[in-house]
Amino acid sequence: MALATRTRTSAPSHGPHGPQGSRSPSFWRSTIGKKTVMAVSGLIMLGYLVVHMLGNLKIFFGADEFNGYAHWLRTLGSPFLHYEWALWLVRVLLLAAVVAHAVSAYQLSRLDIKARPVKYVHKRRRASYATRTMRWGGIILGLFIVWHLLDLTTLTVNERAWAGHPYENVLATFSTWYGNTIYIVAMAALGLHVRHGFWSAAQTLGAGSARRERTLKAFANGLAVVLFAGFVSVPVAVMTGMVN
Amino acid sequence: MKLTLRVWRQRGADAPGHMASYEVDGISEDMSFLEMLDTLNEDLILRGEDPVAFDHDCREGICGACSLVINGDAHGPERTTTCQLHMRSFADGDTIDVEPWRAAAFPVVKDLVVDRGAFDRIIQAGGYITAPTGSAPEAHATAVPKADADFAFEHAECIGCGACVAACPNGSAMLFTSAKVNHLNVLPQGSPERETRVLDMVARMDEEGFGGCTLTGECATACPKGIPLPSIAAMNKEWLRAVRKGPR
Ligand code: HEM
Ligand code: SF4
Ligand code: FES
């Protein structure tokens, strides 16, 4: 500091934090805080999806390998953990992530819409497709998750369900036209969501910088393509008879 | 040049508004957009009508007063301020739509004039820096790395025009606030208040009713001073750091 020019000043009456003295409210009340919750929960789900996708690819190695893998998931951590405990731990974490993600997405979307009540008369196209479809895409993903659980976890809506035989159940789903359609549309939505989402999460968590811009975008696109291709390869293989 | 203008007219804050059509003739390509509006207003005054109210001051791209959404773009088709936009960016016979900044936090005062007091209150919330003022300090007393000085200067360029808010589909002030926060937080002179500054400015920004950031990028595209989108990531990082450390 330049001491030679320093004059003693008395602090202004309102203190160093401006006349409002607004002080930071709680983490959750801030838009950046909510966005951070959205980013972290999104990344948790994303991490799960990468593992899930790799697991699904085992279907290409036959019923025994796939069903064996499904059984292994239930005995994971044994003998320390009881049957299915590890699985339930993951399920609870994912449920928390989905709820946190959806609640923050809903609250932020409401704030965002309220902050721009009057539209411009002169319309023009704004932002990329992936960016503009985050909300609708998210809703599609939410509905898909419900259907997917009813179809392959609880087997409620699976017409040829056979408990304990995931390989056969997957074949059953992908031998119906609606099973394939729902799944492929949802995976397209997932790819788009991840494309903007991964890059956004990096910005939200402060990892973005001018220098890393291109790398982050390329990585987000790569991740979106790999997830889409990996997941969709399963119904495509069933439809073409590669897996039967 | 002869042009058709469709301009947002609104008598006062609570009055209903509408787009009104006007013909203007004898416009030179070398006129600025504001001079073109002056021509329209002289016409309106001669006809005994109410001239169109719009904000302007320096007319040289440094004060941040001018603020028009032209054909859906904040500050129009070029990356500059409305006062520095010239009529050569348009063609003879064009129809041009002129609207005010639209955001809940920027209420319309009259016609194309909006109240940007919310920006002043965000700056106020940041408080002061405890560096001495008065005569210029000795330049070598506080060393600032070149990269930091450049970063600070890049953000100091923000003129507070509000184009970023106007362009954002969420009416978010994240780019503006990030410019202000980053400018001071990177410098040693701004470091004693580093945590409180970002926490208080962001809290004020939220209280003023600006929306959140969805990383759409419209703000950085519209900014006449080229404040880049990664500035928002830099502010997020400062905010998360301040939350972890707690305000000192
Ligand atoms: C329950 C269904 C879902 C809903 C309603 C939803 C909704 C949203 C919304 C509205 C955004 C913010 C978009 C924006 O800022 O422009 C978002 C961001 C994000 N979503 Fe989702 N999403 C869902 C599922 C998922 C899934 C399954 C993943 C995992 C791949 C995911 C990963 C992300 C990521 C990483 C972000 C970026 C967070 C950020 O902007 O910082 N989302 N989501
Ligand atoms: S960031 Fe750019 S667009 Fe926003 S107020 Fe500053 S100069 Fe204007
Ligand atoms: S009038 Fe000052 S920047 Fe345009």
Side-chain angles (χ1 to χ4, degrees), chain A residues 31 112 116 120-122 124 126, chain B residues 72-73 97 99 166 206 212:
Chain A
T31 48
D112 295 349
R116 175 59 103 63
Y120 290 110
V121 172
H122 191 109
R124 68 175 192 60
R126 286 168 193 279
Chain B
D73 288 316
D97 289 339
E99 298 173 72
D206 285 342

Side-chain angles (χ1 to χ4, degrees), chain A residues 107-125:
Chain A
Q107 293 194 357
L108 279 176
S109 299
R110 285 206 35 190
L111 284 173
D112 295 349
I113 292 164
K114 229 176 77 191
R116 175 59 103 63
V118 185
K119 303 279 162 260
Y120 290 110
V121 172
H122 191 109
K123 302 264 181 294
R124 68 175 192 60
R125 245 173 110 241

Side-chain angles (χ1 to χ4, degrees), chain A residues 3-18:
Chain A
L3 290 174
T5 58
R6 180 159 234 161
T7 39
R8 277 209 64 80
T9 48
S10 55
S13 55
H14 53 67
H17 312 297

Side-chain angles (χ1 to χ4, degrees), chain B residues 34 56-66 81 83 159:
Chain B
L34 298 186
H56 61 106
D57 189 19
C58 70
R59 297 206 176 198
E60 54 184 52
I62 55 173
C63 74
C66 56
T81 54
C83 59
I159 52 176

Side-chain angles (χ1 to χ4, degrees), chain B residues 119 158-164 175-176 179 223-225 227:
Chain B
F119 267 13
C158 167
I159 52 176
C161 62
C164 43
L175 194 69
F176 164 79
C223 176
K225 297 297 159 181
I227 307 295

